Amino acid sequence: MLPVIVTPGTTRENWPLRRQALLELFQTYEFGRRPELPFQVDAELTGVSPALDGAARREMYQVTVRTCRGAASLEMALVLPRSTSPVPTVLLLSNHDRVPAPAAPPDVQALETLMRNAPGDWAEQTKKLFAGMAGSPGPEPLDISQDDHTGYWAVDEIVTSGRAAAAFYASQAQADDRTRFPSGLTALFSDPAAPRPDDGWGALGVWAFAARCMVDVLERHPSVDASKISLAGHSRGGKAALWCAAQDDRIRAVLVNNSGCSGAALSRGKKGEVVASITAMFPHWFCPNYRRFGWREEEMPFDQHMLIAAVAPRLCCVTSGSLDQWSDPDAEWQGALAAGEAWKLFGFPALAGPRPGPGETAYSGPIGYHTRRGGHDLTAWDWKNFMRFLDLQGG
């Protein structure tokens, strides 16, 4: 049975209190807490150039975060359509880099322990799934200073819709490498040599915080409509984008693509990637507390539908790839379906019926969903439909 989102006595008037209780669960048990330390966010314009054959303008920024422990800088690109008034903006939390970093060596001991303790059916299914994935190409490089037409960041689709497209590299905030945690922004908030507390933030929390810092910059830009800033992310970027939007009311909409385990997908009954496997392979993504729920998801005092619900009553679009077995489209759909209770509290329709098939969408309300044909990817088709969802829902 899933934990309840709307407890007895919860109303739209006191929803902020219930929402804060949900966020507290995720801070304690999954994503962790950012250490309380004052910080400052500054942005320097470093370059301006034409984009999309002159139909838009690209601005490049160096965004710097400072604390008493030092400073760290990240790049951000902002591609603005020609407009005489401020425009809605879609920010991509990119887990693709300009130059892909070498993969960190796996923790062999942790993986051996995982497979030794795994239920037999899960272990066999996982071995077959990984065998089928062998030889698959890694993420395509993304150069936010010049790319316009990639499927992963479809600047052309976004700008054609009348919106600005922004992006930053998550890896510049914190390297996605368990052997290099903490680094970047993370090291500005605590002593890298000190042991991490059980509820200490992981990389997903750092990436979410970096997105918040980009929103700080965007909302001050005279060409950006600060009331219509959307955040998008794919895979681990989708998990971080969802966590950021759950916490930050300034984000009008979140576009959560193929986020899978620990993102939009329910953990209870999930196939493919599960809490035990994700914490064994990527322990730096989460707070240490999260590991305790490996193979014990039924004991969790929360599940991912509650994370989606924390976005309500704002806009949220959850997506799946029809062949993305590791993320588990059914679990992603069930997460979005169950989260609808929060939107119903405000008189909005929840999702209903069977999961949309490949190439189908469900955009009748502020909680939306679509299924793309194919596997674990973010494509121009996704972006085109994200823009349609925002058009329909006023994002």
Side-chain angles (χ1 to χ4, degrees):
M1 182 178 294
L2 290 176
V4 175
I5 293 172
V6 180
T7 52
T10 301
T11 65
R12 67 177 67 184
E13 288 75 24
N14 63 25
W15 171 247
L17 293 176
R18 177 57 182 157
R19 174 172 169 255
Q20 189 55 48
L22 299 179
L23 295 176
E24 177 69 20
L25 289 170
F26 287 95
Q27 287 179 324
T28 302
Y29 295 113
E30 185 172 343
F31 299 110
R33 306 173 194 277
R34 174 174 55 83
E36 290 294 334
L37 202 64
F39 66 92
Q40 178 179 332
V41 180
D42 298 305
E44 177 186 357
L45 180 65
T46 58
V48 180
S49 60
L52 294 172
D53 300 320
R57 180 179 79 253
R58 185 188 308 266
E59 299 178 352
M60 294 299 300
Y61 290 88
Q62 178 175 283
V63 179
T64 301
V65 181
R66 292 182 173 86
T67 71
C68 61
R69 301 185 60 84
S73 296
L74 299 80
E75 291 176 86
M76 183 181 74
L78 175 62
V79 183
L80 291 153
R82 294 185 182 277
S83 176
T84 57
S85 58
V87 295
T89 300
V90 181
L91 171 65
L92 173 66
L93 191 163
S94 176
N95 53 313
H96 288 203
D97 293 314
R98 183 176 288 115
V99 178
D107 184 338
V108 175
Q109 183 176 356
L111 294 180
E112 289 177 344
T113 301
L114 168 70
M115 298 307 286
R116 186 168 56 249
N117 294 334
D121 57 344
W122 183 90
E124 287 304 312
Q125 291 169 2
T126 299
K127 289 176 183 176
K128 291 178 181 178
L129 182 59
F130 277 19
M133 295 166 58
S136 299
E140 292 185 3
L142 174 68
D143 188 343
I144 62 173
S145 69
Q146 65 180 32
D147 288 345
D148 289 334
H149 302 281
T150 70
Y152 179 77
W153 188 38
V155 173
D156 48 351
E157 292 284 356
I158 299 170
V159 171
T160 299
S161 77
R163 297 174 175 86
F168 75 98
Y169 297 117
S171 63
Q172 291 183 349
Q174 166 62 56
D176 186 16
D177 183 337
R178 62 181 175 79
T179 67
R180 295 171 59 195
F181 187 92
S183 62
L185 288 185
T186 321
L188 298 182
F189 288 88
S190 58
D191 181 357
R196 190 156 55 122
D198 288 342
D199 63 350
W201 66 343
L204 290 170
V206 180
W207 298 332
F209 172 71
R212 171 213 166 137
C213 293
M214 300 301 144
V215 174
D216 288 345
V217 175
L218 291 173
E219 71 171 354
R220 299 195 295 256
H221 196 292
S223 296
V224 169
D225 181 348
S227 70
K228 291 186 176 181
I229 295 175
S230 299
L231 178 62
H234 165 66
S235 192
R236 60 186 181 273
K239 305 180 209 299
L242 182 54
W243 176 226
C244 179
Q247 300 173 85
D248 195 335
D249 285 324
R250 297 173 301 171
I251 296 170
R252 169 65 176 157
V254 62
L255 312 171
V256 188
N257 192 74
N258 296 188
S259 60
C261 179
S262 309
L266 292 180
S267 295
R268 286 164 169 81
K270 189 183 182 301
K271 299 181 176 67
E273 190 169 38
V274 294
V275 174
S277 61
I278 202 170
T279 54
M281 292 189 279
F282 308 108
H284 60 292
W285 286 4
F286 308 97
C287 69
N289 270 337
Y290 197 43
R291 289 195 297 264
R292 71 172 71 173
F293 299 115
W295 310 123
R296 298 166 59 187
E297 287 87 351
E298 292 295 334
E299 299 176 18
M300 292 166 55
F302 63 97
D303 211 323
Q304 302 308 115
H305 64 309
M306 302 167 100
L307 179 61
I308 301 171
V311 177
R314 292 167 291 137
L315 309 181
C316 179
C317 185
V318 175
T319 78
S320 301
S322 62
L323 302 178
D324 190 2
Q325 299 177 55
W326 195 234
S327 294
D328 189 353
D330 285 332
E332 291 171 327
W333 166 249
Q334 291 297 327
L337 198 66
E341 290 301 312
W343 277 271
K344 287 168 66 176
L345 195 63
F346 292 87
F348 295 117
L351 293 165
R355 177 167 66 87
E360 295 179 349
T361 64
Y363 294 161
S364 62
I367 171 70
Y369 180 91
H370 75 235
T371 305
R372 174 185 31 78
R373 299 180 191 276
H376 194 68
D377 202 358
L378 174 57
T379 72
W381 187 90
D382 291 301
W383 283 109
K384 182 176 182 178
N385 282 283
F386 282 150
M387 297 308 104
R388 187 166 70 87
F389 170 75
L390 292 177
D391 288 341
L392 289 170
Q393 302 302 329

